[in-house]
Amino acid sequence: MKVKQTFKNSFYALKIVFTYAPWFAGGYALFSLGGAVFTLLQMFFLQHLVDSVMRYASGSEINDVILWGVLYVSSLLLAQIYTFSLGKMGRFLNRRLTKALSPAIIDKFGRIEYYYFESADFQDIMSRMTADPQQMIHNTFFSVISCINSTLKLIGILGVFFAASLWVGLGALVIGLPMTILELRSTDKKQTLQRENTPDKRKEDYIQGLFSNRSAAYEMRIFGTKNHMLALWRAVHGKIVHRQKDITVSYIKSRSIVALLKILYASFTIALLAFYLASRRVTYGVFVSIVSSIGNLFSILNTAAYSISALGTRTHEIGYYRDFTEFAERRQSSAGMDINEYSIVFEDVHFTYPGTDREILSGVSFEIKEGEHAALVGVNGAGKSTIIKLLCGLYKPDSGRILVGGKDLREFSDADRNRFCAVVFQDFCSYELTLRENVAIGNLGAMDDDQKILSVMDMAGAGEVARLGLEKSLGRLTEDSIDISKGQWQRVAIARALISDAAFIILDEPTASLDPVAESRMYESFSSVMREHGSIIVSHRLASAKLADKIIVIDGGVTAEIGSHGELMERNGLYARMFDEQRSWYVDSEVTE
């Protein structure tokens, strides 16, 4: 089964390479396979050179010595030129393949269903696939070509060995088979080790990353948890090292057996050929040619065994890449939607996250008209953020419908959604790019519009960050980069949404890093931009809800209440109770000021 899978994935890798770089791959393959000729020519020329020298020593002409000497030296020189040229061709093919294949891989990441990114299985496959799949495919192609090349060389050299002596040829086969088997067993153990270590390696990397994370480092000092975290790291690292130790011991045993086989074969071959030479059954040329080629035989066997071993490992990795390419993709509408107005309607929407049993939304229904300012409120875990993920098309409802402008959201393309909404999620992205790029990513057409960028930053309360300069690199990627606080990153993310020309601006818990008074002031500061946009604010804090035209209260996965702030306070229901509970936050803050 493993052999079948190796062949299957090898052909798959070849197909990819020849699809994205057909001419270069074909040229490299043909040129590479020609390398087997040099091994046989060198043996042939060396044999005749030695025999001609022996004849010259017996009184023959020197012409044959010169001829075979020139041919032998020329074959050595051409072999060096060939090796250099093959390396250059390989590097060129690598660049060509990376240039052609990388955009396709990146595009695939952009098209697969979002829910995969929240799956542990998906994360495991990403870890095992390696961070550079195009290099993995390139290496698999090289391993396939190397296996074929080594096989051709072995066939040629074994043919010469069998021609000299049946026993010399059989001895080469006897040593070659166990070497290959031992390497393949080592490969299988390495693959098992990789599978077993993947979850622990991710955990190890995560814990180690905490020590360089600013927020985590701060908390570890405050709570004195450094030693506890170090103990967790040592525990998981110890499991990884223990598995690797077992593999290392097995590898050393295999290497020792192979070394012993090589010594036995070399001793046997030299002794047998010396006997043949003494009995005149072989010439001096054959003796020297075969003996000098024993090292070459070992080298070819090592290369062949390594290539097969590497091919087993790489085709195993290719299997993860194939799994990646087979992940379901979001269905894209071929043409843009003709939408005249952007009202939002949820009709009895039910939803359960893939791989779970608990229903998050159990029949949510509401309407938000175009240009309306709405607030989604409720306790943590009520389903507010899930509603936003559905509205953005990251997930699809299990039942019910989501309509935008009277059209089913399932039919929207990415471009349609971009015109419809711009979002700031709780776990927004902090791009380690320039400040200008961080904001203008929300509207690439405004990349050079300094006034617009500065304006939305001011509305988002990010004026102090703007004073760093729009060309300042944020994060830690370069030496001149500056890392800003989490709250400042959040304001930059809000500015990114505000610069969009989308019909609705959606803010999902956008002010979690702000105190209640600063939150209220920030909402007031950019309320002017909302005159040109509809908005949906998701928050468990209710100060922002007072600014909304419509408040939608979500409780237990259903729509509990809908109305304005005044209407809901008059009803004295869930919203009124929540607001009264939070009222003290703002009163106390104002008194403190």
Side-chain angles (χ1 to χ4, degrees), residues 271-290:
L272 181 65
L273 289 178
F275 172 75
Y276 284 171
L277 182 63
S279 60
R280 298 178 181 270
R281 294 173 61 178
V282 296
T283 66
Y284 281 100
V286 172
F287 178 85
V288 172
S289 176
I290 296 296

Side-chain angles (χ1 to χ4, degrees), residues 103-173:
I105 294 173
I106 293 171
D107 183 60
K108 175 64 180 182
F109 273 106
R111 288 186 286 110
I112 63 177
E113 289 284 4
Y114 172 79
Y115 62 79
Y116 285 120
F117 290 91
E118 297 186 349
S119 164
D121 291 339
F122 177 82
Q123 296 303 324
D124 282 343
I125 288 175
M126 291 300 97
S127 298
R128 292 166 178 166
M129 190 178 76
T130 76
D132 194 357
Q134 53 269 43
Q135 185 66 45
M136 173 186 64
I137 293 168
H138 172 263
N139 290 341
T140 303
F141 171 78
F142 274 17
S143 293
V144 172
I145 298 301
S146 178
C147 283
I148 297 174
N149 195 12
S150 296
T151 300
L152 292 177
K153 287 182 179 179
L154 279 175
I155 291 173
I157 200 170
L158 286 174
V160 175
F161 278 27
F162 271 107
S165 167
L166 173 65
W167 298 110
V168 171
L170 288 175
L173 288 177

